[in-house]
Amino acid sequence: MIVNKMSSVPQPAYEIERLHALQSYNILDTLSEREFDDLTELSSIICNTPIALVSLVDQNRQWFKSRKGLDVTETHRDHSFCAHAIQNPYELMEIEDAKQDERFMHNPLVTGKPYITFYAGVPLINEEGFPIGSLCVIDSVTRKLTEAQRSALKIMAKQVMDKMELRRKMTLLEKSDKLNAALLERSVLGEMRSHMLIQQAPIAMALFRGEDFYVEAINPPMLKFLGQDADILHQPILSVIPAFDKQEAYTIMLKIYKTGETIYVKEQEVKSTDKNTENTSYYNFTFCPLIENEKITGVINMAIDVTEQVVARKRVEEVSNDLRASYIKLEQSEQKQSSAIEQAKLGTYTIDGFTGKMWASARLKEIFGYRDEEEMTYQSVIDQVSVDYRDQVIRGAESVIKKDLVFDMEYTIKKRNDGLTRWVKSTGKHYKTEAEPYGHFSGTILDITEEKEDNIRKDDFIGMVSHELKTPLTSLKGFIQLLQLRTKTIDDLLTKNILDKADKQITKMTRMINGFLNVSRLESGKIHIEKELFDISVLISEIEDDTILNADGHTVIFDPVETAWVNADKDKIGQVINNFISNSIKYSPMGTIVRISCVSDEHGSVVSVRDEGMGIEASDIPHLFERYYRVEKHNTKSIAGFGIGLYLCAEIMKRHNGQIWVESEIKQGSVFHFSLPAAQPPH
Ligand code: ADP
């Protein structure tokens, strides 16, 4: 995307070519036309909005070819909704409430007349694929279009574009034909003989008389075109331009002299040299007979310079061909890779950023329930995503494109053929190069239903077992505490020690079981966060004693611990801190230091736990917070664990809008951090 210095609205790539394309319609600042007005009228009726517009996005303005319910004929591009709509040429842009949308809330058309609140616009894509404007409907109240209205608006936009294409084709023809017709009429009337018309014609013109075509009349533009001066007047053309007989024009003139027909030559390429540089121009030629007393007495030749239009059109053709070529190249390379990928049961796709066309591998079609010959489109895929995930998927894909991130999500879809629900894991990235400024979005989709269902069954089982284990464990803890009380009065150190150890083991086991129970609760959406206002430094001091008791030969330092007010679930945050600490102790050798700190500023609080342990490889870091993930190294294998602690910590943070991350260096140690948004301390 490029940003025009003149305008604060981002502009589509290929802006110059897009503007050329728009100009090729010669439509800007023309009068209103019934055909377009009918379509805006119809759009406003169907969508039930007071305003409907055909808006064309020019360099610095949007100009309305047709407008229903609006007085102004144009607005600055900076205030244009349509300039935003054409950013994504393949989608209908719908804004239910512009006052809530950052891009438009300060727009004078929103804050003032016509008080735009609702906007829906379909980009007008021309034959070469350039978005030149949009057909839009506007209202001053919050609205939402129905699916049927959206489809109707899209169809109407296509109609607008068809009319514009037709208009463009007609304009060029009309331009020369009208002039020809007028001139022909006059020539027949004999007016030509005065030569006045030729002299004053705005286009290059000449009258060649007799069978040797002597130059009877010629105007300055034609002299210039032929590279001659007025000396050629009254001379046979071949005596002044001997090579003329090799030219197509000469052959045509001879033919006309015989047949009396009028011949048009369209967009003829003409090369000329000017100060050693070769120029290419394009002309539309008309050759018509001069008929006097029913006899052909000469040929009138006209030439219209259409270089500008032809160059603009050729450029846009080139651009769209380039894009088409790069798309095909991409498709071929995808196909080459695909045999390996298909073996891995991975479905792959590519969506062209310019055309919006989707290419899907055979495996992907299978996953989504399409037959091989059926076409998959982005919209059809989105429609198959379960309602619970659909918005998330759309927003995810948009933000991945905007922020250049990797898309990675798990969601359910409904298969097209049998309607069954399947779980998929979908990844994707937006690739962009200079040669392909719109880029393409491609990635993989894997059917993970079996795995998911296995996990769900596993979770259910773990949940059930953990629940069952908790009851006897609670009793066991009660019995031990009872025994501990009784040993207070007797002098049996060994029994006391054994009971303390038993109590510690039970606490450990309870923590573990609670962890499992939490995982299964989490999966079934039953984990509850009960927020309260508290100071993390107080929570840390409560944890301190317990930590020192379980330090297992480590030096544990709590410094610095600053006051940090947060609004969070105290137990769950305690669980995260405890988990960080017990991991640091578990994964670092005895005699090393574990340091816990808590720092706070107006944005939030960060708690960090640093150890001098084995550290974590960079390749493991992205997975640490995944469920059941453990680093498979010989030195960690002997350390007990299930790989759920950090997963739970991450889930707890997610539910608090907090963040969790780690910095680590192999053999040097790790620092685990989490941060929470700041809360106002109580008065
Ligand atoms: P568990 O410790 O039960 O395996 P966690 O989810 O708490 O599960 O941790 C996941 C994995 O992260 C651990 O198996 C370990 O490989 C790694 N890990 C966690 N904390 C540390 C640490 N402080 N130093 C080194 N590795 C760690």
Side-chain angles (χ1 to χ4, degrees):
M1 220 159 273
I2 52 167
V3 174
N4 182 347
K5 290 189 193 77
M6 306 291 285
S7 161
S8 60
V9 181
Q11 300 189 347
Y14 288 118
E15 177 61 2
I16 294 166
E17 291 77 12
R18 194 191 70 77
L19 286 170
H20 269 306
L22 174 61
Q23 278 148 18
S24 72
Y25 291 90
N26 279 319
I27 193 169
L28 293 171
D29 301 308
T30 53
L31 294 175
S32 62
E33 282 168 63
R34 172 81 188 277
E35 290 185 321
F36 293 101
D37 292 347
D38 283 350
L39 289 170
T40 41
E41 177 81 40
L42 211 55
S43 305
S44 105
I45 293 171
I46 291 175
C47 298
N48 197 15
T49 55
I51 301 177
L53 304 165
V54 169
S55 159
L56 301 172
V57 182
D58 197 4
Q59 190 173 9
N60 296 314
R61 61 172 179 159
Q62 62 173 347
W63 178 81
F64 309 126
K65 173 65 195 168
S66 172
R67 58 206 152 86
K68 146 98 190 167
L70 193 72
D71 292 337
V72 288
T73 54
E74 62 178 52
T75 72
H76 196 279
R77 186 165 174 168
D78 281 357
H79 307 149
S80 159
F81 278 59
C82 299
H84 284 272
I86 64 169
Q87 289 306 312
N88 196 349
Y90 304 101
E91 302 282 343
L92 177 153
M93 181 174 96
E94 187 170 351
I95 292 152
E96 288 171 31
D97 186 355
K99 293 191 289 300
Q100 307 296 329
D101 192 308
E102 278 183 353
R103 291 169 297 175
F104 306 112
M105 52 174 60
H106 304 300
N107 189 314
L109 304 175
V110 174
T111 54
K113 258 188 164 174
Y115 298 103
I116 298 179
T117 302
F118 167 78
Y119 170 96
V122 181
L124 299 171
I125 315 288
N126 83 339
E127 268 180 357
E128 294 91 17
F130 291 104
I132 57 171
S134 79
L135 168 70
C136 62
V137 288
I138 289 171
D139 206 339
S140 54
V141 292
T142 313
R143 298 280 310 271
K144 195 177 166 95
L145 293 184
T146 63
E147 231 10 271
Q149 286 171 325
R150 275 187 211 124
S151 307
L153 200 61
K154 283 182 192 163
I155 294 170
M156 229 90 75
K158 214 179 151 295
Q159 287 290 320
V160 170
M161 207 52 243
D162 285 351
K163 299 242 175 305
M164 292 205 33
E165 293 299 354
L166 200 66
R167 209 182 169 284
R168 173 163 68 168
K169 286 191 187 106
M170 296 308 291
T171 323
L172 264 182
L173 277 178
E174 256 175 37
K175 224 187 198 173
S176 49
D177 285 357
K178 265 189 193 156
L179 200 59
N180 289 346
L183 290 169
L184 270 172
E185 211 175 293
R186 287 172 190 215
S187 75
V188 173
L189 289 171
E191 257 182 57
M192 284 299 295
R193 265 166 286 157
S194 70
H195 305 161
M196 281 293 287
L197 198 64
I198 292 182
Q199 283 305 322
Q200 287 164 7
I203 55 167
M205 257 189 104
L207 165 60
F208 301 103
R209 176 74 77 167
E211 291 194 33
D212 52 0
F213 304 119
Y214 77 89
V215 187
E216 186 176 308
I218 188 160
N219 67 359
M222 185 58 101
L223 284 172
K224 188 164 175 242
F225 173 73
L226 293 173
Q228 303 289 329
D229 50 41
D231 290 352
I232 71 167
L233 214 59
H234 309 305
Q235 313 251 6
I237 187 76
L238 287 183
S239 71
V240 282
I241 313 173
F244 196 70
D245 65 348
K246 311 261 176 341
Q247 292 189 10
E248 198 189 341
Y250 188 66
T251 322
I252 292 174
M253 277 160 56
L254 285 174
K255 191 173 167 199
I256 287 173
Y257 225 92
K258 284 198 190 99
T259 63
E261 64 185 307
T262 300
I263 296 180
Y264 303 98
V265 181
K266 291 241 146 30
E267 295 178 10
Q268 177 77 22
E269 190 179 289
V270 176
K271 296 225 185 286
S272 61
T273 351
D274 183 20
K275 292 176 195 139
N276 293 334
T277 54
E278 193 171 83
N279 299 315
T280 305
S281 315
Y282 295 88
Y283 283 85
N284 279 356
F285 293 102
T286 307
F287 298 89
C288 56
L290 178 69
I291 301 169
E292 290 165 311
N293 302 327
E294 292 175 14
K295 271 182 73 189
I296 302 167
T297 58
V299 174
I300 302 158
N301 175 209
M302 288 165 260
I304 303 175
D305 187 346
V306 288
T307 312
E308 218 173 280
Q309 288 97 313
V310 175
V311 167
R313 210 202 51 241
K314 282 196 188 279
R315 177 73 189 119
V316 293
E317 277 168 8
E318 248 168 50
V319 169
S320 58
N321 282 343
D322 278 0
L323 284 161
R324 224 167 286 143
S326 63
Y327 180 69
I328 292 166
K329 232 195 288 160
L330 190 82
E331 205 169 48
Q332 286 163 345
S333 72
E334 288 278 334
Q335 271 161 0
K336 248 185 251 155
Q337 287 172 17
S338 61
S339 62
I341 291 170
E342 301 238 324
Q343 293 213 331
K345 294 269 172 218
L346 264 180
T348 53
Y349 63 88
T350 297
I351 302 167
D352 186 279
F354 187 70
T355 58
K357 194 169 156 19
M358 177 168 179
W359 175 83
S361 71
R363 172 65 189 150
L364 189 70
K365 289 186 175 175
E366 195 182 327
I367 295 175
F368 277 76
Y370 287 71
R371 284 194 309 275
D372 230 10
E373 68 281 7
E374 278 180 312
E375 199 188 336
M376 265 176 100
T377 64
Y378 175 67
Q379 195 53 48
S380 69
V381 170
I382 290 293
D383 290 343
Q384 279 178 268
V385 176
S386 309
V387 186
D388 292 353
Y389 294 95
R390 199 174 296 156
D391 273 357
Q392 221 176 322
V393 171
I394 296 172
R395 261 185 281 123
E398 280 170 2
S399 72
V400 160
I401 294 177
K402 271 188 210 134
K403 297 179 190 156
D404 197 19
L405 305 170
V406 175
F407 180 83
D408 191 351
M409 268 186 79
E410 289 179 7
Y411 50 87
T412 51
I413 57 152
K414 205 175 207 132
K415 270 182 92 169
R416 186 178 160 104
N417 49 359
D418 54 19
L420 290 179
T421 302
R422 308 292 291 177
W423 271 98
V424 294
K425 181 176 172 63
S426 163
T427 63
K429 194 171 163 22
H430 187 223
Y431 298 89
K432 222 162 68 171
T433 60
E434 239 170 63
E436 200 197 354
Y438 274 108
H440 64 271
F441 191 89
S442 55
T444 61
I445 294 185
L446 186 64
D447 186 334
I448 52 161
T449 313
E450 307 302 327
E451 199 186 322
K452 269 278 174 186
E453 280 173 357
D454 262 6
N455 273 339
I456 293 169
R457 275 194 292 272
K458 212 176 344 173
D459 287 337
D460 286 350
F461 175 72
I462 291 171
M464 195 181 72
V465 171
S466 315
H467 193 75
E468 292 301 315
L469 283 176
K470 265 191 93 171
T471 323
L473 207 62
T474 317
S475 318
L476 197 58
K477 187 158 178 93
F479 291 138
I480 286 180
Q481 281 171 348
L482 200 66
L483 282 178
Q484 277 175 321
L485 270 179
R486 294 198 68 156
T487 48
K488 269 199 177 149
T489 51
I490 55 167
D491 194 17
D492 183 351
L493 210 63
L494 183 68
T495 311
K496 269 186 185 162
N497 275 344
I498 291 175
L499 283 175
D500 279 352
K501 280 195 176 131
D503 187 48
K504 248 192 225 167
Q505 292 302 328
I506 286 180
T507 309
K508 236 187 199 170
M509 199 160 163
T510 313
R511 217 176 259 167
M512 245 185 238
I513 288 176
N514 280 340
F516 284 126
L517 212 50
N518 277 337
V519 171
S520 78
R521 281 191 189 136
L522 200 70
E523 289 307 311
S524 52
K526 285 188 205 135
I527 195 161
H528 292 297
I529 300 290
E530 277 174 38
K531 288 191 181 175
E532 61 183 298
L533 188 64
F534 70 92
D535 174 3
I536 303 185
S537 70
V538 175
L539 175 66
I540 290 180
S541 65
E542 284 167 16
I543 292 171
E544 207 170 317
D545 294 341
D546 203 30
T547 307
I548 291 166
L549 269 177
N550 293 297
D552 221 4
H554 291 74
T555 310
V556 191
I557 300 170
F558 290 83
D559 188 52
V561 178
E562 299 172 4
T563 303
W565 287 95
V566 290
N567 191 16
D569 185 319
K570 194 170 166 186
D571 278 353
K572 302 269 174 344
I573 300 302
Q575 201 178 317
V576 177
I577 302 174
N578 269 321
N579 204 83
F580 279 7
I581 299 175
S582 62
N583 274 351
S584 289
I585 292 170
K586 227 160 70 171
Y587 297 105
S588 64
M590 275 202 224
T592 56
I593 296 172
V594 171
R595 182 186 285 273
I596 293 109
S597 70
C598 170
V599 292
S600 166
D601 65 17
E602 71 272 22
H603 302 298
S605 312
V606 180
V607 174
S608 310
V609 178
R610 176 187 298 272
D611 64 50
E612 300 171 344
M614 59 181 69
I616 305 155
E617 302 249 7
S619 58
D620 285 314
I621 288 183
H623 305 290
L624 280 191
F625 302 99
E626 288 170 11
R627 190 161 64 148
Y628 306 128
Y629 189 85
R630 305 204 68 219
V631 177
E632 291 290 326
K633 293 273 149 39
H634 56 278
N635 50 355
T636 43
K637 269 193 180 156
S638 55
I639 304 172
F642 294 100
I644 56 169
L646 289 178
Y647 166 66
L648 279 175
C649 294
E651 289 297 323
I652 291 170
M653 280 303 131
K654 227 193 254 175
R655 283 161 173 74
H656 280 90
N657 289 330
Q659 281 176 343
I660 188 163
W661 70 102
V662 60
E663 294 161 272
S664 187
E665 209 172 309
I666 270 310
K667 296 206 177 108
Q668 300 298 312
S670 315
V671 201
F672 280 81
H673 311 267
F674 73 80
S675 70
L676 286 173
Q680 283 293 325
H683 298 297

